[in-house]
Amino acid sequence: MEHVDPTVFRLAIFVLAIFVGYYVVWSVTPALHTPLMAVTNAISSVIIVGGLLAAAALSGDSAGMNGWIAKGAGVAAVTLASVNIFGGFMVTRRMLAMYKKKERPKAASGAG
């Protein structure tokens, strides 16, 4: 039995995660959407912390090219997670606004 290349194995896991994530997110009922967004924002905040740590990685001679790759991946992670958090808050705000009662305009009185 031959061994599978770790890169191919990781790529297969990534592709499966994309499909599972797609079907999980699109099958969520609207009532559960806001709590799900809150959990997603919490996960993204952990990604930001990890991205900041990666962006602060050493890039000197001892780290070589891997240091610059870590910095670039850290900056990309912080940027994408920040966009995700901001979008999550905007969607949550919009959904919560749908449940607010709209004020009716007061009728003008005939006296005057």
Side-chain angles (χ1 to χ4, degrees):
M1 179 181 223
E2 296 181 33
H3 292 285
V4 178
D5 184 27
T7 305
V8 173
F9 185 71
R10 290 180 185 130
L11 182 64
I13 291 173
F14 181 69
V15 170
L16 286 173
I18 289 172
F19 283 113
V20 169
Y22 175 80
Y23 285 110
V24 166
V25 168
W26 286 109
S27 65
V28 170
T29 61
L32 295 176
H33 190 270
T34 302
L36 180 65
M37 290 302 297
V39 172
T40 304
N41 286 341
I43 292 170
S44 292
S45 65
V46 173
I47 293 171
I48 285 183
V49 171
L52 289 173
L53 290 174
L58 295 175
S59 61
D61 292 334
S62 62
M65 186 64 175
N66 290 335
W68 288 106
I69 292 172
K71 278 186 178 286
V75 169
V78 169
T79 302
L80 293 174
S82 298
V83 168
N84 188 25
I85 289 174
F86 180 75
F89 280 124
M90 297 311 302
V91 169
T92 302
R93 181 178 166 198
R94 184 174 178 192
M95 286 197 66
L96 290 175
M98 290 172 31
Y99 292 106
K100 283 186 176 179
K101 288 186 177 183
K102 296 180 180 176
E103 292 184 25
R104 295 183 183 170
K106 294 183 180 180
S109 61

